[in-house]
Amino acid sequence: MRIGELAERAGTTTRTLRYYESRGLLPARRAVNGYRTYDEDDLRLLQQIRTLQDFGFDLEETRPFVDCLRSGHPAGDSCPASLAVYRSKLTELDTLIEQLRTVRTQVGAQLARAELEAQADVPGGPEPRCELTYGGEDE
């Protein structure tokens, strides 16, 4: 198939396919007439790349999966290098989740403080303060 058909079937653009080719993720085969040619295996490579990118993997992180498919494995994640990328991504995600939990706790504390002060805002009460604190310390 030609580049336009592959792009359409993969749900992407010809520009993206040319970029993947320049990065060595998609083979650069040409017909006698100079047109790029692709097959069903190339479509599988693109589907693997797009799935991983939907999961948050950057383009370079997809390389071991593509290499695994190219070497004849039925799935791009059945090679040791692919498994290592999965492990690394899980560690990265766990770190991000913990950071988000910390931020959530801080935002919840700020909300609780703000709600208490808003309730205290009655005639003759203290002046409302409009300041944010981070980590329990004034900035």
Side-chain angles (χ1 to χ4, degrees):
M1 72 186 95
R2 292 189 20 197
I3 193 168
E5 182 183 349
L6 180 63
E8 184 178 327
R9 289 184 62 192
T12 191
T13 65
T14 58
R15 183 177 182 189
T16 297
L17 298 183
R18 287 186 198 100
Y19 179 69
Y20 290 171
E21 182 182 301
S22 74
R23 299 293 306 262
L25 292 169
L26 194 60
R29 292 185 303 270
R30 299 218 179 232
V32 176
N33 61 8
Y35 291 130
R36 290 172 170 88
T37 61
Y38 303 97
D39 58 25
E40 293 298 319
D41 289 338
D42 298 322
L43 180 59
R44 282 185 46 218
L45 292 176
L46 287 172
Q47 290 167 335
Q48 179 78 73
I49 291 169
R50 293 186 53 86
T51 297
L52 291 168
Q53 286 187 309
D54 287 347
F55 291 161
F57 288 71
D58 67 35
L59 191 57
E60 196 55 37
E61 289 173 320
T62 69
R63 188 173 300 281
F65 299 86
V66 169
D67 292 344
C68 189
L69 282 170
R70 279 188 180 160
S71 67
H73 290 272
D77 57 5
S78 59
C79 295
S82 303
L83 297 173
V85 172
Y86 274 152
R87 286 184 197 99
S88 176
K89 183 56 78 175
L90 282 176
T91 298
E92 178 186 326
L93 290 170
D94 288 341
T95 299
L96 289 171
I97 289 168
E98 189 54 40
Q99 289 171 349
L100 286 172
R101 282 188 180 122
T102 299
V103 170
R104 188 189 190 294
T105 298
Q106 292 170 345
V107 169
Q110 286 293 113
L111 174 62
R113 181 201 51 79
E115 287 176 336
L116 283 175
E117 287 185 8
Q119 290 173 0
D121 188 22
V122 292
E127 276 294 307
R129 294 182 329 179
C130 292
E131 62 186 60
L132 291 177
T133 58
Y134 179 76
E137 299 177 21
D138 289 339
E139 290 192 341

